[in-house]
Amino acid sequence: MTLPISILDLAHIGDDGIAASFRDSVELAQKAERWGYKRIWFAEHHNMPSIASSATSVLIAHVAAHTKTIRLGAGGIMLPNHSPLQIAEQFGTLETLHPGRIDLGLGRAPGSDQNTMRALRRDPMAADTFPQDVQELQAYFEGQSRISGVNAYPGKDTHVPLYILGSSLFGARLAAALGLPYSFASHFAPQALEDAVRIYRREFKPSAALAAPYVIAGVNAIVADTQEEADALLLTAKRRRVAAMVGGGRTFTDAEADMLLESPAGQQVLNMMRYSAVGTPSVVRAYLDEFAVKAGADELIVATQVTERAGRIRSFELLAQAMELAPSA
């Protein structure tokens, strides 16, 4: 099976700081462009010391200015944190500067904790109007504003493609009703993947934006030259993740982190990474081919839990080779 393969860049902040994270994102995008990846998305997260993509549209603009052909976008913008008009202006600007290269994935979660949500001045009920906000945003891009006398400049008539992101059945039904492509966050929320995709495909209504259902499924991958190296990278990722999510970010010895992994809370964290391809290129290729069928995916978007720069770049290079992507000239 040959599917388009894309990257979810988690914009990890390492020991060398935020500026280095931005340089790493540019480097990965430039190489991914040469290796044949379809798109790179960045996600909106706030108050997370390990993720540098909080100002998502700004980071997209920076990476777009240093690349030529690869599609770039948000995976996603948490729309209830913003007014649709502001997002139409931001992404209309991006599309005008980099025509034909910009995607806009939309989610309804806060992308943060409750205190940070209040700091964002987010209305706790904002998620309830997500469907209407998506339609308002889409209308700005189509030059058919739903608010009399108000248009997005830039934004009007830019036709930025929208994607509904989700980890539950709600997003599947909304994407189907609006006739939009659907991206499921199975790289961290695996439970409802098959049910959500089944509902989306069954209920899909063709639209001016999309004639047939289109599913992007998230999956983790760690690819290395040997299985032993890939397994070691995975163990490091598990320890770091459980320390952050269960241990409150405290520093643990490897033995202490392993004890956390064995706890019920640790097992719950590990289940978030259920869909993970780990190993040599041939092992990962076999896993992803099988996963794509299981997920009913038209495209895979791959995240990696490898945070060390050289290992992360090498993982995506080997993945491109394994999936036989077509390198650009």
Side-chain angles (χ1 to χ4, degrees):
M1 173 177 294
T2 301
L3 291 179
I5 307 295
S6 298
I7 294 173
L8 178 63
D9 184 348
L10 299 176
H12 175 76
I13 301 172
D15 295 337
D16 44 3
I18 294 175
S21 171
F22 295 151
R23 290 193 296 270
D24 290 348
S25 288
V26 168
E27 180 186 7
L28 176 60
Q30 290 172 336
K31 291 182 174 179
E33 187 172 72
R34 294 199 301 270
W35 293 334
Y37 284 93
K38 184 176 180 65
R39 68 181 99 235
I40 296 180
W41 281 357
F42 302 91
E44 178 187 349
H45 293 286
H46 299 282
N47 194 32
M48 293 189 180
S50 63
I51 296 178
S53 54
S54 56
T56 316
S57 59
V58 180
L59 181 55
I60 293 168
H62 177 65
V63 176
H66 289 82
T67 52
K68 297 178 180 178
T69 58
I70 194 167
R71 296 194 67 88
L72 298 163
I77 289 293
M78 301 298 106
L79 191 54
N81 290 345
H82 314 272
S83 75
L85 177 60
Q86 288 175 313
I87 296 304
E89 292 168 343
Q90 291 175 20
F91 279 80
T93 298
L94 287 168
E95 175 63 25
T96 302
L97 291 170
H98 308 284
R101 295 181 56 203
I102 301 301
D103 300 328
L104 177 49
L106 299 167
R108 64 174 182 144
S112 60
D113 56 47
Q114 293 297 313
N115 284 337
T116 306
M117 186 178 76
R118 285 192 287 273
L120 287 165
R121 305 296 193 269
R122 171 176 165 150
D123 182 342
M125 305 304 292
D128 294 346
T129 61
F130 180 66
Q132 293 79 14
D133 289 346
V134 171
Q135 291 174 298
E136 181 184 336
L137 176 59
Q138 188 176 36
Y140 286 130
F141 289 134
E142 302 306 318
Q144 300 172 353
S145 175
R146 293 183 162 218
I147 301 177
S148 178
V150 178
N151 280 290
Y153 302 109
K156 183 180 179 182
D157 297 322
T158 53
H159 308 287
V160 175
L162 302 184
Y163 298 75
I164 299 299
L165 277 57
S167 57
S168 68
L169 305 186
F170 176 88
R173 290 195 165 98
L174 178 62
L178 297 180
L180 292 174
Y182 180 53
S183 181
F184 191 88
S186 34
H187 62 291
F188 74 87
Q191 290 83 355
L193 170 63
E194 293 176 78
D195 286 343
V197 172
R198 187 180 305 112
I199 288 171
Y200 169 69
R201 290 193 178 279
R202 184 181 69 222
E203 298 184 5
F204 181 84
K205 297 179 180 178
S207 68
L210 192 65
Y214 192 86
V215 173
I216 303 175
V219 62
N220 300 291
I222 296 177
V223 197
D225 292 288
T226 68
Q227 186 68 46
E228 292 74 19
E229 182 184 356
D231 289 340
L233 290 168
L234 176 63
L235 180 57
T236 298
K238 287 178 176 179
R239 288 168 172 166
R240 185 183 62 253
R241 193 177 183 98
V242 77
M245 299 188 71
V246 179
R250 287 173 46 212
T251 299
F252 295 92
T253 66
D254 288 348
E256 290 170 336
D258 291 342
M259 288 179 64
L260 276 179
L261 287 170
E262 293 299 322
S263 70
Q267 290 298 302
Q268 187 173 9
V269 169
L270 291 181
N271 186 54
M272 295 171 65
M273 299 173 61
R274 182 194 311 172
Y275 294 127
S276 296
V278 180
T280 60
S282 61
V283 168
V284 168
R285 172 63 189 258
Y287 182 99
L288 292 181
D289 283 347
E290 183 177 341
F291 171 77
V293 173
K294 178 184 181 68
D298 300 293
E299 179 181 336
L300 299 181
I301 189 161
V302 178
T304 186
Q305 301 300 320
V306 179
T307 58
E308 184 269 326
R309 174 190 159 278
R312 181 170 62 253
I313 294 289
R314 180 62 174 161
S315 182
F316 282 118
E317 179 181 18
L318 291 173
L319 178 61
Q321 295 171 7
M323 302 307 291
E324 301 178 66
L325 303 185
S328 64

